[in-house]
Amino acid sequence: AFTNKFPPTNDYSIGYKVKVPSYYKDVDNWLNSQGNNFRYIGFPLREEGITYKWEKGYAGVELQVALFSTSGIIHKTSVPFFNQIVPEIEKNLLSDNDFSTFANLINARYYIVRYDIDYKLREMTDPVIIEQALIKREKSGEVKRIGEFGRVSIWENLKWQDNIFYAANNIKRVESFDNADITNIDTLSGDIFLEEEIPIDIQKTDQSITPKISYEKINPTRYIAHLININPPFLLFFSELYNKGWKASYESGEVIDNHFRANIYGNGWLINREGDFDIVIEFTPQHWMDLGEKVSLGSYVLMLGFVLYLLISNRRSKV
């Protein structure tokens, strides 16, 4: 299953087992120690197929889920909305654009560079070229080299701010997200991308009032956003992948209806309430999944009880 004609995976004497280098566990532990409110970007970044030059070697589908427990982007994807952004990532890193602005759009705090891949075989960018681009940006104060873990280096986006939620006050219209210039948006300044067909307007009489947003992540499908000093109307952006299943509601249970796709991939809501209040954001399909688990467990318990009843009845009849 883990062999092919290319070295080192063609060396059968090593055995069938693919041993992941221990430094990947070190990278994962370090990322986890930094919190869970960001994404990372893995370079070089290309298609889903990957070849690692480990002792045994590995050639196959990218092992992102097995290697890292932190959310990140490490290969191109067919996932709707993200598939419009990911192909532009490496291109922008190697350009003269301010890459941190682009990274903040997807809430990327760290960049991971892998030197243990067969980039030539996979027609990927040489990791040394990626490193040179980051060194250039480090000199301009855009990034900082954190350190190395084995054959993996980590770099920090020094302009990063927690963008899981942010208040948008400057709408940038595009006819369609399909051809939007995603380098032309600064989320830290309150920019937000909306398509022309979204009938949203946030003109205010007093622009001096700045809303403050903090939040609690209860679990991956439930957040509570704490909003302070709100001067409506304003747009609340949520950086999880857009889905109609995401619902926002006030503490009273009143659902906020104005839900739309923003910044190509994320969720936006128009907020028209003033003052200080909380908003609950939930992925509602999870309720049905939880219910299904309970029904399945209940059915299992009933079946087990029925089997026990039959066994006991059978023993009594024999007696």
Side-chain angles (χ1 to χ4, degrees):
F2 298 107
T3 58
N4 62 37
K5 62 182 179 180
F6 302 104
T9 56
N10 64 343
D11 186 352
Y12 303 105
S13 66
I14 299 176
Y16 67 89
K17 189 179 296 184
V18 175
K19 183 179 180 181
V20 178
S22 60
Y23 52 80
Y24 275 96
K25 183 64 175 177
D26 296 335
V27 172
D28 186 45
N29 288 338
W30 188 88
L31 288 172
N32 284 329
S33 71
Q34 304 306 303
N36 60 0
N37 60 341
F38 61 85
R39 293 186 177 96
Y40 69 84
I41 302 176
F43 294 105
L45 194 157
R46 195 60 65 88
E47 307 301 332
E48 191 173 7
I50 192 71
T51 299
Y52 284 101
K53 299 166 68 174
W54 299 334
E55 179 188 13
K56 170 67 177 179
Y58 171 85
V61 176
E62 177 60 75
L63 298 170
Q64 178 175 0
V65 176
L67 296 177
F68 305 111
S69 51
T70 301
S71 297
I73 298 172
I74 203 169
H75 61 77
K76 292 183 180 179
T77 176
S78 60
V79 174
F81 315 142
F82 263 132
N83 60 359
Q84 296 174 243
I85 296 177
V86 177
E88 304 298 319
I89 292 177
E90 193 169 292
K91 184 190 307 181
N92 275 273
L93 176 70
L94 299 176
S95 73
D96 293 328
N97 298 326
D98 185 342
F99 183 69
S100 63
T101 301
F102 183 95
N104 288 335
L105 174 67
I106 53 178
N107 200 32
R109 183 180 182 183
Y110 296 106
Y111 314 138
I112 296 174
V113 184
R114 300 165 293 161
Y115 304 90
D116 56 358
I117 58 177
D118 194 333
Y119 67 90
K120 291 182 179 179
L121 178 64
R122 290 293 182 173
E123 298 181 342
M124 304 171 80
T125 304
D126 186 340
V128 174
I129 294 177
I130 300 293
E131 180 181 359
Q132 290 172 346
L134 289 170
I135 290 174
K136 180 179 178 181
R137 294 181 182 279
E138 185 174 35
K139 292 178 179 178
S140 66
E142 186 183 326
V143 302
K144 176 184 178 181
R145 188 187 192 109
I146 297 298
E148 295 188 11
F149 297 82
R151 300 185 68 190
V152 174
S153 64
I154 299 180
W155 304 70
E156 182 178 6
N157 172 10
L158 294 179
K159 298 182 180 180
W160 174 85
Q161 291 182 17
D162 187 343
N163 256 356
I164 287 185
F165 291 96
Y166 77 88
N169 53 29
N170 181 30
I171 296 178
K172 292 195 172 184
R173 296 284 183 179
V174 291
E175 183 177 348
S176 170
F177 283 142
D178 293 335
N179 53 15
D181 180 8
I182 53 182
T183 64
N184 185 31
I185 179 170
D186 185 357
T187 57
L188 301 188
S189 297
D191 291 351
I192 191 169
F193 264 148
L194 296 183
E195 290 183 309
E196 293 286 358
E197 63 182 28
I198 303 297
I200 297 293
D201 187 15
I202 53 172
Q203 296 297 323
K204 297 182 180 181
T205 57
D206 188 353
Q207 297 285 349
S208 63
I209 301 178
T210 303
K212 297 180 180 179
I213 301 177
S214 60
Y215 67 90
E216 297 175 63
K217 183 177 180 180
I218 309 302
N219 57 53
T221 63
R222 179 180 171 85
Y223 294 76
I224 300 177
H226 307 294
L227 281 61
I228 299 175
N229 204 28
I230 301 304
N231 175 32
F234 88 100
L235 301 181
L236 177 67
F237 177 76
F238 176 47
S239 72
E240 287 296 332
L241 187 67
Y242 174 80
N243 190 294
K244 291 181 179 179
W246 284 109
K247 301 295 182 183
S249 59
Y250 298 112
E251 293 175 285
S252 62
E254 178 187 351
V255 176
I256 303 172
D257 293 325
N258 284 301
H259 180 208
F260 44 85
R261 183 156 67 105
N263 290 350
I264 299 179
Y265 75 96
N267 300 267
W269 286 274
L270 176 64
I271 308 300
N272 270 313
R273 181 170 292 191
E274 185 176 9
D276 304 342
F277 50 90
D278 291 346
I279 293 178
V280 178
I281 296 91
E282 291 185 287
F283 190 65
T284 51
Q286 185 66 34
H287 296 319
W288 294 105
M289 295 177 66
D290 293 342
L291 179 60
E293 290 181 1
K294 292 177 181 178
V295 170
S296 298
L297 179 60
S299 299
Y300 175 79
V301 171
L302 288 174
M303 290 178 63
L304 181 61
F306 181 67
V307 170
L308 290 174
Y309 169 77
L310 291 177
L311 290 173
I312 293 172
S313 297
N314 186 44
R315 287 182 179 180
R316 287 178 176 176
S317 63
K318 290 182 178 180
V319 173

